[in-house]
Amino acid sequence: MRRFYTGSDLNRVHSIAELADMARRRVPGFVWEYLSGGAEAELTLKDNLDAFSAYGLHARAMVPCHAPDTSRALFGKVLPMPMLIGPTGYNGLLHRDADIHLARAATARGLPFSLSTASNTSLEDLVAAASGVDLWFQLYAMRDPAVQKSLLQRAAAVGCRTLVLTCDAMVLGNREWDRRSFARPRQLTWRSKFDVVRHPRWLKQVMWPSGLPGMGNLEAYLPTSERNPLGSMAFIGKQMDTLLDWDMLARLRDQWGERLLLKGVLHAADVERAVALGLDGVVVSNHGGRQLDGALSSLDALAAIAPQAKGKFSLLVDGGIRRGSDIVKALALGADAVLLGRSTLYGVAVAGEDGAGRALDVLTQELARTMNLMGCTHLNHLDGDSVFERRRA
């Protein structure tokens, strides 16, 4: 039986799995399910993880183990590691000001940070609190064009140069665990409420002194009387544009003059359409297994898509990344970089900025160690010959 470190010294945390176990014990059940759960039978959630186990790594002999070059050029900037923190919504359930903690942890390590439309911290407050952040902004298509135009203007005004449009969440997936925790929308069951009381540290970390946070990016569009968590959540539910299509994406390409990525791509034909529209890249993603259950794992989709995208634009991937060796496999199969979601969220749930930073440091250390053991001196040397497909169950 695997035993994880149960203390509070982050320096003794040696894996993302340990951070996940610590986070599970620190937050109420409904929060843990929000963080870790997937849709329906969670087939895609499981496949995201299992796909990495299905690939092995080729090792070359007699290569001196100098510190490997883990840098990667992305959009004209050299990152020290081929990763960034991806967009995730309502992180204030894990730690007050979690978005700021995540941004600061990324910035301290020279990595970009992606802020979600559904973040608890606004664009303006994030930039003010995380000096020097390389900010990406994730956009959900809005029904009201005035709201969407305003969000784009605000993103540009704070210096954001990379916009990520999410296309796979126009209709929310069937997240059964969510309905079990709530008696009705945004109202916990009595059982969940009793469980919350059993987590005083979380109450202090999240609820004190002013209760659950609202959605900072959206509050400007609400009547004063509705500028609260419930009002914000109801607003975004009504505003999500379920008619998003390629024509709308083409209009967005015309409106946004900076880098534009499409997140939620799993099919090679969609890559071709994104290239034709002049996008700068796509994020291969199934929304962490929280949307279409049974969808292709992100890594398997990457392997199928990469030949279509190579040399045309940037290819990023998220979903199931828990080890530095997972990053190596993703890059070998064609990714330019990876986006981290749950891995850094576990850390922020445990210890805010320090916890998120520890997650990044663990992955960085594992990445370098894996390269040394493979006899790989530079990430640019990784290709399809660096991996092999193991026998699947």
Side-chain angles (χ1 to χ4, degrees):
M1 177 180 174
R2 181 181 296 157
R3 296 184 181 275
F4 291 135
Y5 174 63
T6 59
S8 58
D9 182 1
L10 287 174
N11 290 326
R12 295 187 62 190
V13 171
H14 301 299
S15 70
I16 300 300
E18 289 183 68
L19 279 175
D21 190 60
M22 294 171 72
R24 180 185 59 79
R25 289 182 278 108
R26 283 174 179 249
V27 301
F30 86 95
V31 176
W32 176 248
E33 289 186 329
Y34 174 77
L35 171 56
S36 64
E40 296 184 350
E42 300 186 335
L43 299 175
T44 300
L45 179 70
K46 181 176 183 297
D47 286 348
N48 275 351
L49 297 167
D50 291 347
F52 285 97
S53 300
Y55 286 92
L57 298 169
H58 283 300
R60 300 299 301 270
M62 304 300 291
V63 179
C65 289
H66 300 297
D69 190 338
T70 61
S71 65
R72 173 55 61 98
L74 185 67
F75 300 132
K77 180 178 180 179
V78 177
L79 304 181
M81 286 80 70
M83 59 188 180
L84 59 142
I85 296 182
T88 48
Y90 216 72
N91 295 331
L93 274 179
L94 307 174
H95 199 292
R96 184 162 292 278
D97 297 324
D99 299 311
I100 294 171
H101 292 303
L102 290 163
R104 287 174 172 169
T107 303
R109 291 157 182 81
L111 304 176
F113 168 76
S114 309
L115 188 70
S116 170
T117 295
S119 65
N120 296 116
T121 302
S122 70
L123 284 155
E124 296 80 4
D125 289 345
L126 191 287
V127 169
S131 178
V133 62
D134 181 0
L135 179 64
W136 295 20
F137 182 57
Q138 175 271 333
L139 177 71
Y140 284 119
M142 298 281 111
R143 291 179 187 270
D144 187 339
V147 172
Q148 181 155 307
K149 181 179 179 180
S150 174
L151 285 169
L152 295 178
Q153 290 173 336
R154 290 170 59 193
V158 297
C160 176
R161 296 294 175 261
T162 304
L163 184 70
V164 183
L165 177 69
T166 293
C167 65
D168 60 359
M170 294 182 285
V171 175
L172 287 182
N174 183 19
R175 304 169 187 178
E176 297 168 1
W177 45 265
D178 194 42
R179 294 199 296 277
R180 282 193 295 270
S181 297
F182 292 85
R184 56 182 182 276
R186 296 173 288 278
Q187 179 62 52
L188 289 173
T189 63
W190 280 108
R191 181 176 182 177
S192 295
K193 289 178 180 177
F194 284 132
D195 183 50
V196 167
V197 175
R198 295 175 56 245
H199 291 81
R201 179 165 46 186
W202 176 84
L203 285 168
K204 181 179 180 181
Q205 181 171 289
V206 172
M207 300 292 287
W208 183 265
S210 54
L212 287 173
M215 293 182 180
N217 286 322
L218 302 177
E219 290 183 350
Y221 313 114
L222 296 173
T224 303
S225 60
E226 297 179 18
R227 291 181 182 178
N228 54 61
L230 296 183
S232 297
M233 285 185 273
F235 178 81
I236 195 170
K238 296 175 182 176
Q239 274 291 319
M240 294 283 276
D241 188 353
T242 58
L243 301 181
L244 175 65
D245 62 10
W246 292 99
D247 289 337
M248 184 274 175
L249 179 57
R251 292 192 296 273
L252 181 62
R253 172 70 287 180
D254 291 338
Q255 294 168 357
W256 181 260
E258 302 289 347
R259 287 185 291 269
L260 177 60
L261 309 180
L262 183 64
K263 181 177 180 288
V265 175
L266 294 170
H267 198 285
D270 293 329
V271 169
E272 288 298 315
R273 299 198 70 169
V275 169
L277 284 177
L279 269 63
D280 298 281
V282 297
V283 180
V284 180
S285 173
N286 52 41
H287 217 94
R290 296 161 71 87
Q291 286 297 100
L292 175 63
D293 197 31
L296 197 61
S297 77
S298 294
L299 192 69
D300 287 328
L302 170 70
I305 286 173
Q308 296 291 106
K310 187 175 182 180
K312 297 177 181 177
F313 63 8
S314 294
L315 192 61
L316 294 89
V317 66
D318 69 10
I321 296 159
R322 302 291 187 272
R323 290 282 186 183
S325 57
D326 296 340
I327 300 174
V328 168
K329 293 172 185 178
L331 269 60
L333 290 173
D336 293 296
V338 303
L339 277 69
L340 304 174
R342 289 184 175 96
S343 291
T344 43
L345 292 180
Y346 296 143
V348 85
V350 169
E353 179 183 345
D354 290 341
R358 184 58 184 164
L360 294 172
D361 292 344
V362 164
L363 290 171
T364 298
Q365 292 162 11
E366 290 179 346
L367 172 63
R369 185 183 300 112
T370 299
M371 292 175 66
N372 274 149
L373 292 172
M374 290 176 65
C376 177
T377 59
H378 196 295
L379 289 177
N380 290 343
H381 299 162
L382 294 171
D383 57 22
D385 291 334
S386 304
V387 295
F388 64 91
E389 193 164 2
R390 301 170 63 196
R391 186 178 302 166
R392 300 202 184 200

